[in-house]
Amino acid sequence: METTMMPAAFLGHGNPMNALERNRYTESWKAFGAAVPTPRAILVISAHWYTNATAVTAMQLPRTIHDFYGFPQELFDVEYPSPGAPEIAELVADVAKPTWVGLDVDSWGIDHGTWSVLRHAFPDASIPVVQLSLNAFKDFDHHMDIGRKLAPLREEGVLIIGSGNIVHNLRAIDFSQPDAGFDWAHRFDDAAGELLQDTPSEVLTLDSHADFSAAVPTPDHFLPMLYIAGLADDQPLQPLIKGYAAGSLSMTAYTLGLDQDLRAAEGVPGAAELPEGFPTLDSNL
């Protein structure tokens, strides 16, 4: 099979409502999907499969997981019926060695960190999709090292996407700022961007940044970026879009190996707003 060196990306997915809306973030995901060569398969590292082991989905038909509550029924009705790719799952497990990666044939599927992005980037759901879990018991170096090991998959036509948020603090959400960020969120997001666009291999130094504890109170949404930084190593990433939501969420996205200007159209609204009365601390946002 003839293959193409595939690009990769880190996408800030934010509020699941983005799955239903058209805004400048979803437009950037759409533009990214249209710009890349048709992948053999898509591997997504989503913030929402944060568990006690390293595993990859290996079922033929992964289910669409609605891992949230407090949202309108329309969001629960969304299905993303892409096929799975057990052979790609086996490749993931192979390239990660000696790190053990389990083959999940019946537990997980495609969570909203994945389908909320892919239904804009690849709306027909025809490309096989696999997810790689985040092992909650491993340190940042471990996650970044797995990212480096995934590099050969790009030569096999696999599109690798990290889906999370560089800044993600649900306790600090401010509903009065739907499309803005706090000063500390800007500072940390800017610091991460400088490293990603210069020397991605140095992003691990962000844990000493003065705003790290506010920007990354839990590691789950931060970790997918480390996989793409590890994949890039010292190859600079290119900004896809930058922005904020609810004060304490960064929607920033970056691409690797895709030298195109994919800026969103002018006049397109900002990030989706959370439903009124949304229970942020009890959700899986």
Side-chain angles (χ1 to χ4, degrees):
M1 176 185 297
E2 183 179 352
T3 57
T4 302
M5 173 66 82
M6 293 300 301
F10 171 78
L11 304 177
H13 66 248
N15 178 358
M17 291 297 291
N18 286 308
L20 301 179
E21 298 191 11
R22 176 180 178 265
N23 56 48
R24 63 193 192 92
Y25 304 108
T26 65
E27 286 292 287
S28 73
W29 306 340
K30 179 180 177 181
F32 172 74
V36 301
T38 301
R40 172 183 175 189
I42 303 170
L43 169 65
V44 183
I45 303 99
S46 165
H48 293 280
W49 195 14
Y50 185 63
T51 186
N52 61 356
T54 305
V56 61
T57 56
M59 63 282 292
Q60 293 282 357
L61 296 172
R63 64 192 175 101
T64 302
I65 302 173
H66 302 90
D67 50 331
F68 43 71
Y69 78 93
F71 289 93
Q73 184 60 43
E74 185 182 5
L75 196 59
F76 289 90
D77 292 338
V78 172
E79 293 290 329
Y80 192 79
S82 67
E87 73 283 3
I88 298 299
E90 291 179 2
L91 278 177
V92 171
D94 188 54
V95 299
K97 291 177 180 177
T99 299
W100 179 84
V101 177
L103 298 179
D104 172 24
V105 297
D106 58 9
S107 173
W108 202 241
I110 299 175
D111 61 50
H112 83 264
T114 294
W115 58 256
S116 66
V117 171
L118 294 188
R119 76 185 310 255
H120 291 286
F122 303 99
D124 65 1
S126 63
I127 300 169
V129 176
V130 298
Q131 278 198 217
L132 179 65
S133 75
L134 299 169
N135 190 328
F137 293 103
K138 300 298 183 180
D139 61 19
F140 285 177
D141 295 86
H142 174 88
H143 292 284
M144 195 159 172
D145 182 60
I146 294 180
R148 292 190 187 98
K149 291 177 178 177
L150 296 177
L153 297 178
R154 295 178 64 202
E155 299 177 5
E156 296 292 332
V158 178
L159 172 64
I160 302 174
I161 295 176
S163 178
N165 297 94
I166 292 174
V167 177
H168 186 271
N169 187 332
L170 295 186
R171 289 187 178 275
I173 277 181
D174 182 352
F175 289 95
S176 70
Q177 301 190 57
D179 200 32
F182 297 122
D183 289 345
W184 56 261
H186 280 261
R187 288 193 300 266
F188 188 79
D189 199 46
D190 288 346
E194 289 176 6
L195 291 174
L196 291 170
Q197 294 174 73
D198 185 18
T199 50
S201 61
E202 296 182 11
V203 295
L204 292 177
T205 62
L206 287 169
D207 65 358
S208 63
H209 191 280
D211 298 302
F212 178 80
S213 60
V216 189
T218 59
D220 46 355
H221 281 71
F222 184 74
L223 290 175
M225 181 271 287
L226 297 185
Y227 282 76
I228 304 305
L231 194 68
D233 200 14
D234 282 323
Q235 182 182 351
L237 277 72
Q238 298 78 40
L240 175 62
I241 193 165
K242 184 171 183 175
Y244 303 87
S248 61
L249 301 176
S250 162
M251 294 294 294
T252 306
Y254 295 91
T255 64
L256 173 65
L258 187 64
D259 298 320
Q260 296 186 38
D261 184 353
L262 300 177
R263 287 176 295 184
E266 295 294 329
V268 179
E273 294 187 30
L274 292 167
E276 185 176 353
F278 177 75
T280 54
L281 297 183
D282 296 322
S283 76
N284 192 21
L285 178 64

